[in-house]
Amino acid sequence: MSDFIPVNEPVIGEREKELVLECLNTGWISSEGPFVSQFEEAFSRRVGRKHGVACANGTAALELAVNALRLGPGDEVILPTFTIISCAAVIVRAGAIPVVVDADPDTWNMVPELVAAAITPRTAAIMVVHIYGLPVDMDPILELADRRQLAVIEDAAELIGGTYKGRPCGSFGHISTFSFYPNKHITTGEGGMVVTDDPALAERCRSLRNLCFQPKQRFVHEELGWNYRMTNLQAALGLAQLERLEQTLIRKREIGLAYQQAFMNLESIQRPVDTTSYADNLYWVYGILLKDSQASAKTLMQKLALAGIGTRPFFFPIHLQPVFSGMTLFQDVEAPVAEEIARRGLYLPSGLALNALQQSRVIEELIVHG
Ligand SMILES: *Cc1c(COP(=O)(O)O)cnc(C)c1O
């Protein structure tokens, strides 16, 4: 269908082409090129951090974070159950124990009180994940982490450029991570970054990213790392996209507010929270919940697909993932909210290339079928 409206389409500008072409013309296409460190410096400065380590994707960034903090066997890491598999995968792969908490029914973010209740003597870290455009309520979590001396990993992939009480998302974790997948506010095709203020953690991430090569004895390794390097071509895209970030954030919020306005009187759906005491929603994606407890997002998604509109379901809870069923993890997890919103939630086309005409069509179809 030629007039299919995809759930996301990125915008690639002239500046991106110019910088990528510069890589091609100069031959600097690997991670050795100059744009990588320029992107690391400019991006980490933008999110209020001292150090940035660019890498292959957002999942790799989480993997670097978990391993730089030396989380491993015996360590429990608290994270939301309503998140992407990447968050749990890197904890399990490091041999540590993921402990999940439920989501808030309105903001869909992890609930600080539940984080407090999940702490045990073995808790080593809290992995905070901002969901869909609203940040997690950070203050109670930071206070708790400080009091119990826990490491904080902040996954800010969905809130590039966002703030909590005026401070940039990505500035709260001992290590914070980002993804530059094409649906994120900045894209490098595939890509990610770890940011921190701790020079030792940054150095460890750099080493783990680059196979733990040693400066003095190349090809002699005392630890195993990964090749998670970002290429100069990707960093060129990132630098150009970063120049436009403020416009991007304005446009994302505009798209979100247009949906909010259009669905104000649509009784069948629960709309996302627009504003809290600590942040405005940036509408990284515009998610909706079907209010009818019998309803399933799947049926509505099929109807919208037939009408030429792409959607995505909400995250499937981590504690219900079949891959973990044989691992004696998540024994007595109670997370009714995450289970409900996973079944009744979906998100609508919210990418930067969505134009007003397309958005009107999405709105009309949702009002008919929703
Ligand atoms: C996109 C995303 C990731 C994964 O990033 P990739 O670059 O696709 O590996 C991790 N965490 C969150 C919250 C994300 O939204």
Side-chain angles (χ1 to χ4, degrees):
M1 211 184 308
S2 63
D3 59 352
F4 186 81
I5 302 173
V7 71
N8 176 71
E9 195 182 329
V11 169
I12 307 296
E14 287 309 309
R15 181 71 172 150
E16 282 88 321
K17 292 174 193 168
E18 190 185 313
L19 293 188
V20 168
L21 201 59
E22 191 176 319
C23 300
L24 298 175
N25 287 336
T26 57
W28 285 112
I29 55 173
S30 78
S31 61
E32 293 285 317
F35 289 146
V36 178
S37 55
Q38 282 177 39
F39 183 43
E40 288 174 336
E41 274 161 41
F43 185 85
S44 53
R45 198 178 323 120
R46 174 61 180 77
V47 299
R49 300 314 292 255
K50 293 202 177 94
H51 309 280
V53 181
C55 60
N57 53 65
T59 307
L62 286 166
E63 187 133 50
L64 294 176
V66 161
N67 288 279
L69 289 166
R70 300 181 196 274
L71 298 170
D75 293 330
E76 292 181 355
V77 182
I78 299 171
L79 76 161
T81 196
F82 189 68
T83 187
I84 190 167
I85 191 71
S86 311
C87 300
V90 298
I91 296 168
V92 172
R93 287 234 170 91
I97 304 152
V99 173
V100 296
V101 299
D102 204 0
D104 179 272
D106 297 315
T107 66
W108 309 327
N109 270 312
M110 75 195 300
V111 179
E113 292 78 20
L114 295 179
V115 175
I119 287 184
T120 75
R122 286 183 303 190
T123 307
I126 303 171
M127 184 185 282
V128 174
V129 187
H130 308 302
I131 298 293
Y132 294 171
L134 259 187
V136 169
D137 188 5
M138 291 304 301
D139 278 347
I141 291 175
L142 295 174
E143 192 271 328
L144 191 66
D146 199 43
R147 190 154 39 87
R148 307 295 293 249
Q149 298 203 304
L150 307 174
V152 175
I153 299 170
E154 178 193 13
D155 181 348
E158 302 183 2
L159 266 175
I160 297 174
T163 57
Y164 169 83
K165 296 189 177 173
R167 252 184 75 182
C169 295
S171 69
F172 294 97
H174 293 99
I175 300 189
S176 302
T177 67
F178 290 93
S179 160
F180 305 121
Y181 189 70
N183 62 357
K184 304 293 165 36
H185 295 163
I186 287 177
T187 184
T188 59
E190 302 284 349
M193 201 180 300
V194 168
V195 297
T196 181
D197 291 332
D198 182 332
L201 280 178
E203 206 35 56
R204 200 164 146 70
C205 286
R206 276 183 209 288
S207 176
L208 288 167
R209 167 185 73 174
N210 192 26
L211 296 167
C212 296
F213 277 117
Q214 303 192 88
K216 290 200 191 104
Q217 282 186 294
R218 201 165 170 89
F219 302 118
V220 179
H221 299 262
E222 285 174 20
E223 252 194 292
L224 293 179
W226 294 267
N227 176 355
Y228 282 163
R229 300 183 298 257
M230 175 182 274
T231 68
N232 205 48
L233 289 157
Q234 291 168 303
L237 281 170
L239 272 171
Q241 296 250 313
L242 181 58
E243 288 176 9
R244 264 208 324 277
L245 179 60
E246 311 315 315
Q247 281 161 263
T248 297
L249 300 177
I250 289 169
R251 179 67 191 132
K252 291 300 275 195
R253 199 158 150 77
E254 203 172 67
I255 292 171
L257 287 175
Y259 279 133
Q260 289 286 49
Q261 179 73 29
F263 301 145
M264 197 130 67
N265 299 315
L266 190 59
E267 286 301 320
S268 57
I269 65 161
Q270 178 186 321
R271 290 176 288 122
V273 171
D274 180 61
T275 305
T276 66
S277 59
Y278 46 81
D280 289 337
N281 201 326
L282 274 181
Y283 301 109
W284 168 64
V285 295
Y286 188 85
I288 57 170
L289 272 189
L290 298 174
K291 275 191 194 159
D292 178 358
S293 62
Q294 302 303 308
S296 138
K298 230 179 233 167
T299 315
L300 176 58
M301 290 173 61
Q302 279 163 2
K303 286 181 189 161
L304 290 172
L306 285 175
I309 292 163
T311 57
R312 286 285 181 280
F314 270 20
F315 291 126
F316 188 75
I318 295 294
H319 67 281
L320 300 182
Q321 292 289 351
V323 65
F324 297 133
S325 64
M327 293 189 187
T328 66
L329 297 168
F330 313 124
Q331 291 298 308
D332 300 304
V333 172
E334 277 186 45
V337 174
E339 292 177 18
E340 274 299 303
I341 65 180
R343 194 164 55 78
R344 290 193 273 125
L346 67 151
Y347 62 85
L348 303 177
S350 345
L352 287 167
L354 185 74
N355 64 40
L357 211 67
Q358 290 175 314
Q359 189 169 13
S360 303
R361 245 186 71 205
V362 177
I363 289 166
E364 277 168 36
E365 294 292 346
L366 192 88
I367 289 172
V368 170
H369 296 291

